Amino acid sequence: MDLEISPIQQEIRADLDILASDKSLSHRVCMFSLFADSTCRVKHFLRAEDTQRSLTIAQNLGLKAKFEKNGDLLLTPPKKGLQTPNDILYCGNSGTSMRLFTGLLAGANLYAVLCGDIYLHARPMGRILKPLRSIGANITSRIIKTKDGVKEVAPLCVIPSKNKLQGFTYHSQIASAQVKSALILAALQGSEKSIFSECELSRDHTENMLYALQKNPYLQQKDDKLHITPFGAFDMKNKPLKAFDISIPNDPSSAFFFAVLACIMPETSITLRRVMMNKTRIEAFKILEKMGAKIRYENERNDFEKIADITISSTELKAVDITENIAWLIDEIPALSIACSVAKGTSRIRNAAELRVKESDRISVVAQGLKSFGIQCVEYDDGFDIIGGTLQKGVVDSKGDHRIAMSFAIAACMCGGKILDTECIQTSFPNFLDLLSYFAKIQ
C-alpha cells in the first residue's frame, strides 16, 4: 500500500496517550511468562504484527493466552514445561522473535523450525548462531553468498542435542540486545554458570525483567559482566520466575516520531503520555535537546521501568554530531535524520554500520529518501552527513522497513510526499496513521 501525504497547514496542539505500547516489553512478557509460577496479567500489550508473532510462538510452546474484554492479556504457563511445537514457528518481520526464541529453544533442547518473511530472511543470523553453537547448540541455517562472502540466514532449525548447553564466557563485539538476550535465555536453561559481557551497554529490558521476576539470583551484574546461573541449579525446574502483573508503557521509539513532528512543525506542541524512560531508550530525545529542542519531562513514576509524560514544542534546530551510544539510537536514527534535514548546519552520524543490517539497509535507504526530499546527504560505510535545508515534496520506498515509512511520513507533513510500501507500519505501530491523520491529509 502506497500513501500520499499532504503538508499540514495549521498549528498543532496535541495530547497523545493512545500510542504504541512498548514493543520490547511486549515481546518479553510472552517469553518470561513461559517460566512463571502462575497466570500473568499484562495491561497495554502491543497488538502489532511483530509482537503477535512472539505471542503465537509462545502459544506453540504451551502458553495459554486470553484477551479479556477490557483488553488485558492473561498468560498462563504450561503445567509440564515447554512443549515441542507441532508447526513451523513463523516470525514474520520480527528479528526479535526469531533471535530470542532461537536462544530460548536452544536452551530448552526442543526441535523447532523458525522462518519469516522475505525481509527477515535477508537479515544476518550468524551473530547468534556462532555463540550458541560454541556452547553445544545444534542449529542449522540457510547459507547465501554476498559480495563480502557468505552469511547465515533464516529459516533456522533448532535440533535437540544429547546434553544441555555448556556454560560460557562470552564477550560480544557488537552491542546487541538480541544477541545478549538470546544467550541469556539459552544459559538460564543450561548446565553450568555463564558470563556475558559486551563492548558497550545495549538495551537492557531482558535484565531488568529478570531482576524483577527471579526467585533466586539467576542473573547478577558484577564489574560490567552478567553472571548467569541456570534455573536448574536451584531445583526450580519449570517454575523459576514469579508471576507478574504489568502495565506496559508507551514505546519511546514509536513516540519519537511525534516528537520529531513537534520539533519541525511551526507553532506546535505535543504531549506524549506514559512513555518509558529507560536510559537505553530515550537517547534520541536527548539528541533532540542537544539540537535545541524544547522538551519537558513530567509525572515520573516506576512500573518495572521508569515512565514519564513528555512535552515537545517546536523550535529552530541546529546540527549535531551523533557518534556515541549508537546502540541506544539504532531504531531512532531514521527519524532523527528528518530532524537533521531541517537543522541549521551539517549533522554527522558515524559508527552506525549496524544500520545496514536492520529491516532494510537504513543508511542507504535514508540517504536516498532525503535526496528525494531535496536534502543533500553524503553516505558513508558507517553513517552519513546531512546538510540541513528545506524539505521538498518527494517519494521514498520504505523497502518494507516500518521505521523508514514512518520517518518519511513525518517529513511529508512538512512538504507533502509519497511513501511506498507502508503495510510494514503494522509490525510495530498499528495506529500510527490514524494518529497522523488527525493532523495531516493522507490518501
Side-chain angles (χ1 to χ4, degrees), residues 3-270:
L3 293 177
E4 187 90 30
I5 300 175
S6 301
I8 296 174
Q9 302 295 335
Q10 75 278 7
E11 64 182 43
I12 298 174
R13 294 288 185 273
D15 192 318
L16 302 180
D17 185 16
I18 310 302
L19 295 160
S21 298
D22 188 72
K23 187 164 76 158
S24 295
L25 291 187
S26 295
H27 279 301
R28 283 160 176 78
V29 296
C30 300
M31 300 170 195
F32 288 130
S33 60
L34 286 164
F35 303 102
D37 58 14
S38 61
T39 297
C40 304
R41 180 178 293 272
V42 183
K43 299 178 180 66
H44 304 299
F45 179 80
L46 175 62
R47 300 180 76 165
E49 288 181 358
D50 276 7
T51 48
Q52 183 61 50
R53 304 302 181 199
S54 283
L55 182 58
T56 301
I57 291 171
Q59 289 176 284
N60 274 284
L61 299 178
L63 184 73
K64 292 183 180 179
K66 178 184 177 182
F67 281 101
E68 296 192 312
K69 290 182 180 180
N70 64 1
D72 289 2
L73 174 61
L74 299 182
L75 301 173
T76 303
K79 292 181 179 180
K80 298 182 179 180
L82 304 185
Q83 65 185 33
T84 298
N86 60 11
D87 202 353
I88 291 173
L89 303 178
Y90 182 65
C91 302
N93 188 246
S94 177
T96 298
S97 300
M98 178 163 286
R99 290 180 175 134
L100 269 62
F101 271 110
T102 297
L104 187 153
L105 288 160
N109 216 18
L110 297 178
Y111 179 87
V113 177
L114 300 99
C115 70
D117 65 15
I118 58 171
Y119 300 107
L120 184 56
H121 280 198
R123 296 180 66 182
M125 294 295 151
R127 58 181 54 189
I128 62 164
L129 299 182
K130 182 178 179 181
L132 287 172
R133 286 173 181 151
S134 72
I135 59 174
N138 186 3
I139 308 172
T140 61
S141 70
R142 184 167 60 96
I143 307 295
I144 61 173
K145 294 182 179 180
T146 71
K147 62 180 181 181
D148 300 317
V150 297
K151 69 176 180 179
E152 294 190 87
V153 296
L156 306 180
C157 182
V158 181
I159 303 170
S161 302
K162 292 183 179 179
N163 303 307
K164 284 190 173 184
L165 298 184
Q166 307 156 13
F168 60 81
T169 296
Y170 184 78
H171 179 73
S172 179
Q173 298 294 335
I174 58 172
S176 168
Q178 294 179 353
V179 171
K180 175 171 60 178
S181 298
L183 286 173
I184 290 173
L185 289 166
L188 286 170
Q189 302 171 86
S191 60
E192 303 167 320
K193 293 183 178 181
S194 299
I195 298 174
F196 177 89
S197 59
E198 54 189 341
C199 56
E200 62 178 290
L201 178 65
S202 61
R203 292 175 173 176
D204 57 359
H205 303 301
T206 296
E207 302 97 291
N208 290 344
M209 287 200 73
L210 274 170
Y211 293 146
L213 301 178
Q214 61 188 8
K215 295 179 179 180
N216 293 291
Y218 309 120
L219 188 69
Q220 295 177 294
Q221 185 168 3
K222 303 174 184 177
D223 302 323
D224 295 326
K225 296 179 180 179
L226 292 173
H227 292 250
I228 310 161
T229 301
F231 291 150
F234 296 95
D235 296 322
M236 294 301 299
K237 295 186 178 179
N238 299 320
K239 306 296 180 183
L241 301 182
K242 294 178 286 188
F244 51 85
D245 186 331
I246 183 174
S247 178
I248 297 180
N250 282 322
D251 191 308
S253 300
S254 296
F256 189 68
F257 295 108
F258 289 96
V260 171
L261 179 66
C263 285
I264 68 175
M265 291 296 300
E267 304 299 324
T268 291
S269 179
I270 297 177

